Structures are given as structure tokens and as C-alpha cells.
Amino acid sequence: MAVEDSWSHLFMSSLAPRGYLKVSSIRMQGLLLLFFSKLAHVPFIRDIQDTYSRTGISGYWGNKGGVSIRLSFYGHMLCFLNCHLAAHMQYASQRVDEFEYILDTQTFDPKKTPHILDHKLVFWFGDLNFRIQDHGMHFLRNCITSHKFNLLWSKDQLTMMKKTEALLQEFDEGPLDFQPTYKFDRFSDCYDSSGKMRKPAWTDRILWRVKPKEPPPEAEKDEDRDSGLDEKNTKNQQEEEEFPLKLKQDSYTSNMEYGVSDHKPVIGIFTLELRKMYEAPLVRVCAEGEWSADFDAMVIYSPLQPFPSSAWDWIGLYKVGFRSVSDYITYTWVKDDEVSFNDELTQVYVSKDEIPALGGECVLCYYCSTLQCIVGISSPFKVHESKVAVEEGLALDFIAGPNMTS
């Protein structure tokens, strides 16, 4: 897609006032994955990559498949996988096959976490399309009406498949203590009343997998130790002990008030507890002196750690409360082809013609083109209203500048 979709705009508009920034997104036809973060965490979200797999029409069509975003969060590798799997009651095994295909075909940076299951934490969610089999419509609806959802769990296809599929057993899921989220008449709380009368089902799910601990070196086979896996496993064990990660699900439910789809949305709220592998951003950046559109302004930055900088790195000026990386007012390129790791400060300038005449609260963000993410954010600072523009009656014209967003 060449432009942002309407869902992205809706969520950005809703979440930006709450302090959230859109970090990444990927769309494959109707399958959309958005990742937002509190601004304070953004400089510590790195190694962002996204990819997709088609499974519709023998892998040629993207109406079914999976999209994923993976990233490093304070040094811990996380992956978020959104899937839309094959429909209809009789295709439970095909859904598992499609999931395995997606896991096999989606690859990332080979040096760290080349595959989805190499990540320390994986969230797997979406319209997985697993149905409730065997039970008749009358029994299903009685259980739902009386909120005896547990009587349906044993015939939920995903629950059944987990008993025989070792891969699925690695994923956890909270109890299905909410009514099945499919299929509804649109803009109502009534299940399908059409001629098809599709059975209700928990098609929409949220699961997660914390990577199992590496086995001790003594348990490895001799040939594995010869291949260097022993040393790698020892290193991974040390990292797990020094930088633990724990996940707890606080809530797992659906929301019945939305009617734009024949599905009801499912919400999962989690608490992620981890020990940070680093506390400082890669770059310190700040605004020097007073800023206004009456004179050129100065930006000072310095690297705090080695990182793959380049001449394509840039520093953007943003209004406080900006919605995404592309929401900059203006930007300036970094000074050198490479930023050396030392204590020296580097200065770059922003033309007064690019600074908003009306002023306001702003921040500066250093964007690393190689890592495809923001690696440093300044403290908020005030851009003063242009005295010259006010005197000449030009201030209001600045509102409609080409880089400003509405």
C-alpha cells in the first residue's frame, strides 16, 4: 500500500493523545498488523523487521496467510504474528499445515533470530478459524446463553489439535471465558441468522510462546558439541539467567459492542517483566539554545554506543504528541558519513525557514536508516513563536506547511 490505511489513521489518532507512537506496520490485503509503543520505550526498540506469507490459492493469493513484525525490546527478541487461516469446519488439519508453512517461510536476520521460533517471546493471534465440532446448534446456543463455555472447550478444534501436535503444545492460551466471537449478524449481538446458519466458534485467538530454556551442555550429543552448539547453548543459558523474561496474561476477552464485522474483536492484556540488557539509548540528541523561526537553530548529538550509522541518518523535528516516524515537521541529515564512538559532540543546523512560525512544544528524534528505527529522542523543548512572522501577519500561513500533518 502506497498510503496509510484507514485503520492505521484511526489508531494513530486515538493512541497519540495517550502517549503512544506507531513504530511499525505491515499489511497484506485485509490482514493488518500495527505495533505501537509508549514514547519512552521507542529508543530501545531496535532490529525491526516485517515480513509476510501467502497461503490463499496454493500460496499465490494473500487473502489468507500471515504477517509478522519482529523487534528487539531492551535487547530481548520479540515477534508478533497475525494470521488468517483456512476457513470451514473440515479444514482443521490444513490450518495447522498453514501455520507450520508460515513458520518455515518467514525468515529474518540470520545472525540473531532467523526464524519466528528463535525469538524469546512470540505472540500468535488472528482469525485462526478453528471451529467447535460435533456439538449441534441447539446445544451450542444453550451453553452460550447460560455462559457454560467450559462445556464447549473439549470440542474446540485448536484445543483438540494441541493434544496431538507437538508444535501447538509449545503455545499457551488463556481460558476461553467469553462467548464465541463468530459468526454474528452485522451490527447486532445475534449469531448468524442467514440460510447458512454457521455454528458459533472461537475463531479469533491470542496465543503466546516463551522460548524454552536451552538444555544443559551435558545433555547434548557429542556431534552437537563438536559443531559448536555446546558453546552457543552455554551463552544462551547465561543470557537467560542474567536477563530473564516473564509474561503474565492479565485479561483475555471479547468486546461485544462492535458490529462492523461478523466477528467480535478479541483483546489480550499482558504484563511483560524483563531485565533490560541496556539502559541508555544509542544516541544523545538535544536542542541547543533558543529555537524560533527567526533564526537558524542548532542540534547537538553524540553517540553513546557503537552502532551502524550512515550518511542517510537524519534528525527529525516533531511536535510533542506526534503519531509516527513520518510525522516530522522537518528534518536535517547528520553531519558525517559515520559517527565515530567518542565523546565529541556533533552540531547540525535546522534552517529557520523549516521551523514552525507558531512555535510549540517539540522533540528531536535521531533516525538510523540502517536499523530502520529511532535510536535517540531529546527532552521536550519549546519553539518560540516567530516575532517577525507575527509582525508581518504570516504566522497563520505556516499551519498549512507541506510537512505538517492534520
Side-chain angles (χ1 to χ4, degrees):
M1 298 292 291
V3 296
E4 295 278 12
D5 63 279
S6 56
W7 282 108
S8 295
H9 280 295
L10 176 64
F11 279 114
M12 285 191 291
S13 299
S14 301
L15 293 174
R18 294 168 171 81
Y20 286 90
L21 169 71
K22 194 192 81 169
V23 175
S24 183
S25 66
I26 180 172
R27 182 180 183 183
M28 181 178 70
Q29 292 187 207
L31 199 54
L32 175 65
L33 177 56
L34 301 168
F35 184 90
F36 287 80
S37 169
K38 285 282 192 179
L39 185 63
H41 297 306
V42 168
F44 305 98
I45 299 174
R46 306 170 188 170
D47 299 318
I48 303 170
Q49 289 183 270
D50 58 62
T51 188
Y52 63 91
S53 300
R54 302 185 185 98
T55 59
I57 311 182
S58 301
Y60 290 100
W61 193 242
N63 64 322
K64 297 291 194 295
V67 294
S68 63
I69 294 173
R70 80 73 171 283
L71 50 87
S72 167
F73 185 68
Y74 291 98
H76 298 265
M77 298 306 298
L78 315 181
C79 186
F80 301 83
L81 173 62
N82 183 11
C83 290
H84 187 193
L85 304 180
H88 304 305
M89 180 74 73
Q90 65 270 31
Y91 294 124
S93 295
Q94 182 176 332
R95 288 187 269 277
V96 176
D97 291 342
E98 289 181 352
F99 177 50
E100 292 178 346
Y101 172 81
I102 291 168
L103 294 181
D104 290 340
T105 56
Q106 295 199 1
T107 58
F108 305 98
D109 181 357
K111 295 180 181 179
K112 296 182 179 179
T113 47
H115 298 96
I116 290 176
L117 297 184
D118 293 325
H119 292 75
K120 186 174 287 189
L121 174 62
V122 177
F123 287 98
W124 172 38
F125 50 90
D127 181 3
L128 307 187
N129 252 324
F130 289 100
R131 309 304 171 99
I132 300 172
Q133 65 182 47
D134 296 339
H135 293 311
M137 182 69 79
H138 182 72
F139 180 78
L140 274 170
R141 297 206 170 189
N142 279 345
C143 289
I144 294 170
T145 302
S146 59
H147 284 208
K148 295 180 180 178
F149 306 128
N150 60 305
L151 298 181
L152 304 176
W153 292 348
S154 63
K155 294 301 181 180
D156 168 68
Q157 289 180 332
L158 180 53
T159 302
M160 297 171 69
M161 297 297 287
K162 288 185 74 170
K163 295 179 180 179
T164 58
E165 296 288 340
L167 174 62
L168 297 181
Q169 293 169 10
E170 297 181 15
F171 285 82
D172 294 310
E173 183 181 20
L176 298 168
D177 286 331
F178 52 91
Q179 68 185 80
T181 55
Y182 175 85
K183 178 182 182 180
F184 287 87
D185 293 337
R186 292 186 64 197
F187 301 104
S188 80
D189 293 341
C190 300
Y191 284 103
D192 186 16
S193 62
S194 71
K196 294 182 178 180
M197 291 285 289
R198 296 200 185 277
K199 290 183 179 180
W202 287 293
T203 56
D204 312 286
R205 313 287 277 267
I206 302 173
L207 296 91
W208 71 92
R209 174 187 183 268
V210 177
K211 188 178 179 182
K213 291 185 177 181
E214 299 285 351
E218 293 76 16
E220 297 289 339
K221 296 180 181 179
D222 291 338
E223 58 266 25
D224 291 335
R225 288 212 288 264
D226 292 341
S227 65
L229 290 179
D230 188 13
E231 181 178 350
K232 179 181 178 182
N233 290 341
T234 301
K235 182 179 179 181
N236 290 339
Q237 285 178 336
Q238 292 173 346
E239 181 180 295
E240 290 171 0
E241 294 172 1
E242 187 176 357
F243 301 103
L245 178 149
K246 296 180 182 178
L247 186 76
K248 178 175 69 74
Q249 187 173 57
D250 302 314
S251 175
Y252 189 34
T253 187
S254 65
N255 195 319
M256 294 294 293
E257 70 179 89
Y258 294 95
V260 297
S261 168
D262 55 1
H263 295 251
K264 299 297 182 181
V266 173
I267 301 98
I269 300 175
F270 297 83
T271 296
L272 177 59
E273 183 180 341
L274 55 82
R275 181 175 296 168
K276 300 174 183 178
M277 294 188 185
Y278 37 75
E279 299 280 350
L282 293 176
V283 175
R284 179 185 290 116
V285 58
C286 64
E288 181 68 11
E290 183 176 314
W291 278 54
S292 83
D294 294 332
F295 41 80
D296 295 343
M298 182 186 298
V299 178
I300 294 179
Y301 68 91
S302 61
L304 301 179
Q305 302 174 47
F307 71 100
S309 60
S310 77
W312 296 104
D313 292 358
W314 48 273
I315 297 173
L317 176 66
Y318 295 85
K319 288 282 190 181
V320 169
F322 67 102
R323 309 185 310 169
S324 70
V325 174
S326 60
D327 244 358
Y328 54 80
I329 300 169
T330 186
Y331 64 88
T332 182
W333 300 104
V334 298
K335 185 175 181 180
D336 299 320
D337 289 351
E338 292 187 2
V339 180
S340 58
F341 181 46
N342 52 46
D343 296 329
E344 295 181 5
L345 302 177
T346 303
Q347 301 175 351
V348 292
Y349 290 89
V350 177
S351 171
K352 63 181 181 181
D353 297 331
E354 301 292 335
I355 298 175
L358 290 179
E361 290 293 314
C362 294
V363 294
L364 295 166
C365 297
Y366 187 112
Y367 185 85
C368 176
S369 61
T370 302
L371 298 178
Q372 295 286 296
C373 62
I374 292 172
V375 296
I377 302 178
S378 74
S379 299
F381 63 96
K382 183 175 180 61
V383 175
H384 297 278
E385 186 178 66
S386 168
K387 297 177 181 178
V388 174
V390 170
E391 291 173 358
E392 297 180 357
L394 300 177
L396 294 177
D397 295 337
F398 250 81
I399 298 177
N403 288 324
M404 297 293 284
T405 56
S406 56

